[in-house]
Amino acid sequence: MMMFLGNEEMVYILDKTEGNAAQIDGHPAWGSVWDINGHNATTMSVLSNTFCASGMHLPNGSYATFGGNGAVGIGYGSPSSPNYDDVYDDYDGRKAIRILNPCTSANLSDPGCQWYENAAVLSMQEMRWYSAAEALGDGTVALIGGFTSGGYVNRNIPNIDPAYEGGGATPTYEFYPSRGSATVMNFMITTSGLNAYAHTYLMPSGKMFIQANLSTILWDPDTNEETPLPAMPNDVARVYPASGAVAMLPLTPANNYTPTVLFCGGSDMPADYYGNYSWPFYNTWTYPASADCQRITPEPQDGSSPTYEQDDDMLEGRTMGQFITLPDGTMLVINGGTNGTAGFSNQTLYTPSLDQMAFFQSLASGPVGTPAIFNPNAPKGSRWSNAGLGSSNIARLYHSSAILLPDASVLVAGSNPNIDVELHAPFPTTYAAEIFYPPYFASSVRPQVTGTPSTLSYGGSYFNLTVSSTSYTKSSANDAAANTTVVLVRGGFTTHAMNMGQRHLQLNNTYSVNNDGSYVLHVSQVPPNSNLLTPGPTLLFVVVNGIPSNGTMVIVGSGRVETQPTTVVQALPVVQNATTTADKTSGAANAFGGRAMTSVVAGAALLLGCHALGY
């Protein structure tokens, strides 16, 4: 399952082409849009098979998805013709580019609000299934690697053609919009086998940090030059199908907006166990997932050489865990299993038939129902906690996803470690969604903010936000203002336990406190380097004493694919505290919640209802 937040009202969802009960135009649907406020979904028409596509935001607030799988029939069978199946009504999606302009409930049925896909007008140069996607500083999207069709891992055994695998692999990169012909990337050859959905993060220099298999590089998208970085310690693979949780830590004034990437979980399964395109050479569901966490700063500002640093282990081993960066700067990990890998299969090397498979087609076991929160600012040795967090009894394994919502909760959906729809498998196709409410929902109040702009620039004049006197409790206005941050959180395009494009950036600010208990935040624009936060949509939150406001969708940059204009940063006013303010010791009217495990009815295929888990 793939999801992205289109605007403050809508989450867009894509599935693989399969026998979903929800129908559109007389065939199973594999696309929908979910109304956040109404908790209801509407099916959407999607022409081609989006199974294991990649995706990314565009500078104007639109989203694009890239690639997918070939046309399939019932049970993942061969289509009725080479590029189309007349039962599922799906076309070959391996070169597809699909564009969506998010809309609100008021105009959701308008033609301009539908998925646009026309292979005669818009198409990639190469077939890409499980490719990586990463936006560049001008809004261009780099598309990297992938398979040419389905498979467990991207290699044959023996691996005598690590570049093209006899036609199974795509070891190239290209751009959208195009910058010329697709070009071979050597890294996609040296990481042959474990390079599906490579982990990619744009760095301040404009180079890209890329990790796959056990290897790491900095890659220059302008010159195709690769700079080797240290290998992943402890032989823990993080990419699909090992599927560790990976995210960039928040970029803040305190760390001078220096990116650090955190890797947690995955698998140290021996390389031979991954087998080939057909199936694993091991009963993967018996192999424990890793709890190991490593962090790396790819471009240290002190000029030192990048190196991996051991971080706190997770509370349990986890494959297919997913990091969601929360507005308070902590990082939720949710979903996944304690054993095995992502993917599905009818057999392994040692279990030759489906009737002998322990968990039907699933290659993982031991669903982890309790999330955990990582605090990057806590002392080493105490960064992980699940104290007080609710648990779910829904297995969230292969094809599960999670994404931050505008109210700062987290939508959790999906899971189908099966070839087609299987409602009675040990880990069945799952249509129920959940909402996780982080601990800050226990607060009786949340910040009320006015003055949020609709666009932000790279550098330039500061803007003002007004925080009401009802936005905090148990502190003075001066203390509340001093403990307020303004953050931009981009949830990204989420699929397969990863969020392509996810970033968290804190804006610099000062403040002026009024004697009535309200205060004005003087907030800098985005730092004048579009590589830190590429142009496009993001949520703006104001966080007071660790409690976030509702997020407001804003557009960063010019709204176009171009070299982004930058301006000198205007100096902020000095801090002005109030001379007399009363301490606040009780809540005000704008109740925040403290909900625990509330529930909403689950829906049918892609028509998501929700129940909730939380603090």
Side-chain angles (χ1 to χ4, degrees):
M1 176 173 283
M2 294 154 272
M3 301 193 296
F4 62 88
L5 180 69
N7 50 45
E8 294 172 29
E9 295 185 23
M10 299 293 172
V11 174
Y12 289 85
I13 300 168
L14 294 168
D15 196 4
K16 65 185 172 86
T17 300
E18 58 187 354
N20 293 312
Q23 299 279 305
I24 187 167
D25 300 331
H27 64 82
W30 59 91
S32 69
V33 55
W34 187 68
D35 187 313
I36 296 169
N37 298 317
H39 280 201
N40 55 74
T42 303
T43 54
M44 298 186 72
S45 178
V46 183
L47 293 180
S48 63
N49 188 355
T50 51
F51 181 30
C52 304
S54 56
M56 190 55 57
H57 62 274
L58 300 177
N60 66 348
S62 299
Y63 272 79
T65 69
F66 305 96
N69 208 354
V72 297
I74 295 173
Y76 208 62
S78 299
S80 57
S81 62
N83 297 311
Y84 172 75
D85 182 71
D86 59 9
V87 176
Y88 281 169
D89 200 18
D90 66 310
Y91 289 86
D92 188 335
R94 291 175 292 176
K95 288 187 175 182
I97 299 176
R98 314 166 192 87
I99 306 292
L100 184 124
N101 298 314
C103 293
T104 63
S105 56
N107 54 6
L108 204 57
S109 61
D110 289 357
C113 300
Q114 310 309 308
W115 282 101
Y116 174 81
E117 182 178 354
N118 185 337
V121 176
L122 204 57
S123 180
M124 292 189 296
Q125 299 171 47
E126 308 231 2
M127 293 183 285
R128 299 189 187 276
W129 187 73
Y130 274 103
S131 65
E134 181 75 2
L136 305 183
D138 67 351
T140 300
V141 181
L143 305 165
I144 300 171
F147 301 33
T148 62
S149 57
Y152 177 57
V153 294
N154 203 6
R155 73 177 181 194
N156 294 303
I157 296 294
N159 194 1
I160 59 176
D161 179 17
Y164 292 96
E165 300 293 349
T170 305
T172 64
Y173 67 93
E174 59 183 285
F175 299 100
Y176 174 76
S178 178
R179 291 185 176 181
S181 299
T183 304
V184 170
M185 176 186 282
N186 188 60
F187 187 68
M188 288 293 105
I189 300 173
T190 59
T191 57
S192 172
L194 291 176
N195 57 18
Y197 280 152
H199 296 297
T200 57
Y201 294 92
L202 189 67
M203 293 289 109
S205 66
K207 294 181 179 180
M208 191 180 298
F209 173 85
I210 308 179
Q211 197 282 321
N213 209 314
L214 301 177
S215 300
T216 314
I217 62 168
L218 277 176
W219 175 65
D220 190 326
D222 294 325
T223 65
N224 196 23
E225 294 179 1
E226 300 178 7
T227 302
L229 297 181
M232 183 64 66
N234 304 325
D235 294 331
V236 182
R238 315 290 184 168
V239 294
Y240 173 89
S243 300
V246 183
M248 183 183 289
L249 300 185
L251 298 168
T252 69
N255 61 34
N256 204 22
Y257 301 108
T258 304
T260 295
V261 182
L262 179 66
F263 296 81
C264 288
S267 182
D268 64 1
M269 196 166 70
D272 290 349
Y273 286 17
Y274 287 97
N276 59 14
Y277 285 107
S278 298
W279 48 70
F281 287 6
Y282 191 79
N283 290 338
T284 54
W285 57 88
T286 68
Y287 197 95
S290 174
D292 178 79
C293 289
Q294 301 284 335
R295 65 165 68 192
I296 187 171
T297 301
E299 294 184 340
Q301 294 192 356
D302 62 3
S304 60
S305 297
T307 184
Y308 280 99
E309 175 189 347
Q310 185 74 50
D311 213 317
D312 293 359
D313 282 355
M314 291 196 295
L315 302 179
E316 64 277 299
R318 198 184 292 236
T319 175
M320 295 174 283
Q322 182 171 355
F323 270 129
I324 303 296
T325 307
L326 301 175
D328 65 356
T330 62
M331 302 169 69
L332 172 74
V333 71
I334 197 164
N335 300 338
T338 56
N339 300 293
T341 70
F344 51 59
S345 183
N346 283 325
Q347 69 172 93
T348 72
L349 183 65
Y350 298 110
T351 304
S353 62
L354 181 58
D355 62 344
Q356 296 175 316
M357 295 282 283
F359 299 97
F360 197 60
Q361 292 161 338
S362 176
L363 295 176
S365 65
V368 183
T370 304
I373 291 178
F374 179 87
N375 184 349
N377 297 316
K380 198 168 184 178
S382 59
R383 289 174 178 162
W384 283 105
S385 176
N386 61 10
L389 300 186
S391 296
S392 172
N393 60 5
I394 298 177
R396 301 288 182 187
L397 297 172
Y398 187 42
H399 292 153
S400 60
S401 289
I403 196 164
L404 183 72
L405 296 179
D407 71 348
S409 65
V410 177
L411 176 65
V412 184
S415 189
N416 186 24
N418 306 291
I419 289 176
D420 207 314
V421 172
E422 294 287 348
L423 300 180
H424 304 293
F427 303 126
T429 307
T430 301
Y431 296 117
E434 300 169 284
I435 295 178
F436 174 77
Y437 293 95
Y440 44 67
F441 271 82
S443 173
S444 61
V445 300
R446 71 186 311 169
Q448 303 293 300
V449 181
T450 57
T452 303
S454 59
T455 62
L456 297 175
S457 60
Y458 294 104
S461 301
Y462 66 83
F463 60 94
N464 292 326
L465 300 174
T466 300
V467 180
S468 75
S469 62
T470 61
S471 297
Y472 56 93
T473 61
K474 300 181 181 179
S475 70
S476 68
N478 289 343
D479 289 343
N483 199 27
T484 295
T485 57
V486 181
V487 298
L488 302 177
V489 184
R490 176 176 286 155
F493 179 93
T494 170
T495 185
H496 288 71
M498 59 190 298
N499 294 59
M500 300 179 188
Q502 178 175 237
R503 293 239 174 163
H504 179 292
L505 185 143
Q506 179 187 337
L507 300 176
N508 204 9
N509 77 274
T510 59
Y511 55 86
S512 300
V513 182
N514 301 316
N515 287 335
D516 65 359
S518 66
Y519 52 94
V520 177
L521 300 171
H522 313 296
V523 187
S524 293
Q525 301 282 343
V526 179
N529 180 353
S530 60
N531 297 325
L532 292 174
L533 185 71
T534 57
T538 184
L539 289 171
L540 185 150
F541 292 91
V542 173
V543 184
V544 181
N545 295 329
I547 310 301
S549 67
N550 278 315
T552 300
M553 188 74 80
V554 301
I555 295 291
V556 176
S558 68
R560 297 181 296 275
V561 176
E562 62 180 4
T563 299
Q564 295 297 301
T566 59
T567 310
V568 174
V569 177
Q570 183 184 19
L572 294 173
V574 298
V575 168
Q576 294 288 333
N577 284 311
T579 54
T580 57
T581 62
D583 283 350
K584 312 247 332 250
T585 58
S586 62
N590 51 311
F592 191 12
R595 285 170 279 182
M597 309 282 295
T598 58
S599 63
V600 181
V601 178
L606 291 174
L607 295 175
L608 296 178
C610 290
H611 75 272
L613 59 154
Y615 182 78

